[in-house]
Amino acid sequence: MKTIFVSGTAGSGKSLLSSKLYDYYTKNGAFTSILNLDPGVENLPYSCDIDVRDFVDIVSIMQQYDLGPNGALVMAADLIASKIDEIQNEVNRVNPDYLIVDTPGQIELFAYRSSGRFLIDNITSEEKTNIFLFDGALITTPVNFVSIALLATSIRLRLNLPTVNVLTKTDLIGANLKNILQWSTSLSTLENAIAKDADGDTYALTTNILRGLNLSGFAQGLIPISNVTGDGFVNLEGALSRILNLGEEVED
């Protein structure tokens, strides 16, 4: 079994990408399942084989501990980790070729709490990788782009997984798509865009962050995809295969 975690900011399209990735792998003959790790989600664009909502009930947590929605989500994230044996048993029962893990909408619940890393370490799998979603609607300015790039690097550090960076909502951002793709591969182009867009203090802070990110090998480009049209999924699957299958791609 190979495991693909899908992470990103709230609203970046994690659940929809999980659904489309499931469809892509299934269409090409791979037995694929989805694990939902968001205990607070009400509606999902897919039918999941393993669902943490079967193990943790947000409403019961709110009532039992007199918590609001946010406090209940924090407690639920930690309770999920205590259910790892049961979750693993469900994964073993399904036994897919590819397990897609749809992480919580609030990324801090998964990436920055010890329970998230615990789940990653304790889900048994031959290979694991993470997809981080750059929300195209959020990164149409160079300063916002660097901010999300910093978050992506932080998430990679926390999860300690090989990561594929993906640009979502390409069908919605129009002419900005070309600029974003250039920023993701050319440090000088991005610095020039920041200089035109930011004041002195913001420019100094942003470019210093950017140079640190570049030293860590960030500027390797983004894979643009559209969940609506399906554009880019062949490239995404190829990038995942280079990590998970030593370069062997799923038959198309």
Side-chain angles (χ1 to χ4, degrees):
M1 186 184 78
K2 315 296 173 64
T3 304
I4 302 167
F5 293 87
V6 182
S7 64
T9 53
S12 59
K14 295 186 291 295
S15 294
L16 189 54
L17 175 63
S18 297
S19 173
K20 297 298 183 181
L21 201 57
Y22 170 88
D23 291 342
Y24 182 90
Y25 277 114
T26 300
K27 181 185 73 173
N28 288 289
F31 178 34
T32 309
S33 298
I34 302 180
L35 162 59
N36 168 49
L37 275 186
D38 191 339
V41 67
E42 294 185 0
N43 298 300
L44 290 168
Y46 55 78
S47 297
C48 46
D49 294 284
I50 308 102
D51 192 338
V52 296
R53 294 176 298 179
D54 294 335
F55 305 100
V56 175
D57 184 354
I58 287 290
V59 174
S60 295
I61 292 173
M62 291 172 65
Q63 293 173 345
Q64 182 175 352
Y65 297 99
D66 194 24
L67 295 171
N70 290 334
L73 284 170
V74 170
M75 176 171 280
D78 294 337
L79 287 175
I80 289 168
S82 71
K83 303 289 186 179
I84 185 60
D85 289 340
E86 296 166 71
I87 292 171
Q88 183 65 60
N89 286 339
E90 285 297 296
V91 172
N92 292 341
R93 178 185 61 80
V94 178
N95 194 28
D97 299 321
Y98 291 90
L99 177 67
I100 300 169
V101 182
D102 185 11
T103 65
Q106 295 86 349
I107 194 168
E108 64 275 12
L109 290 177
F110 180 69
Y112 293 114
R113 298 188 67 79
S114 57
S115 54
R117 180 64 180 272
F118 179 82
L119 284 166
I120 287 176
D121 291 341
N122 286 276
I123 290 178
T124 303
S125 182
E126 292 177 57
E127 300 289 344
K128 301 173 187 176
T129 190
N130 176 52
I131 300 174
F132 183 86
L133 306 190
F134 282 65
D135 186 337
L138 294 182
I139 58 173
T140 54
T141 69
V143 172
N144 281 1
F145 178 88
V146 174
S147 298
I148 298 298
L150 179 60
L151 176 62
T153 303
S154 174
I155 298 302
R156 182 177 180 181
L157 177 65
R158 283 288 303 153
L159 302 186
N160 193 32
L161 290 172
T163 300
V164 177
N165 290 320
V166 166
L167 172 63
T168 63
K169 304 180 183 176
T170 56
D171 50 295
L172 299 179
I173 55 181
N176 287 312
L177 175 59
K178 181 179 178 181
N179 290 334
I180 292 169
L181 294 178
Q182 288 179 336
W183 296 340
S184 74
T185 55
S186 172
L187 181 64
S188 60
T189 299
L190 181 52
E191 284 194 358
N192 290 336
I194 295 168
K196 294 177 183 178
D197 190 59
D199 59 32
D201 289 342
T202 302
Y203 172 80
L205 175 60
T206 307
T207 52
N208 283 332
I209 291 172
L210 176 60
R211 288 164 186 165
L213 294 177
N214 190 56
L215 288 174
S216 69
F218 161 73
Q220 299 173 358
L222 301 175
I223 297 175
I225 64 165
S226 168
N227 286 324
V228 175
T229 66
D231 290 346
F233 272 82
V234 172
N235 293 332
L236 173 57
E237 192 278 324
L240 292 171
S241 287
R242 284 190 286 275
I243 297 170
L244 297 173
N245 302 317
L246 301 178
E248 292 186 20
E249 299 187 17
V250 173
E251 295 283 341
D252 196 350

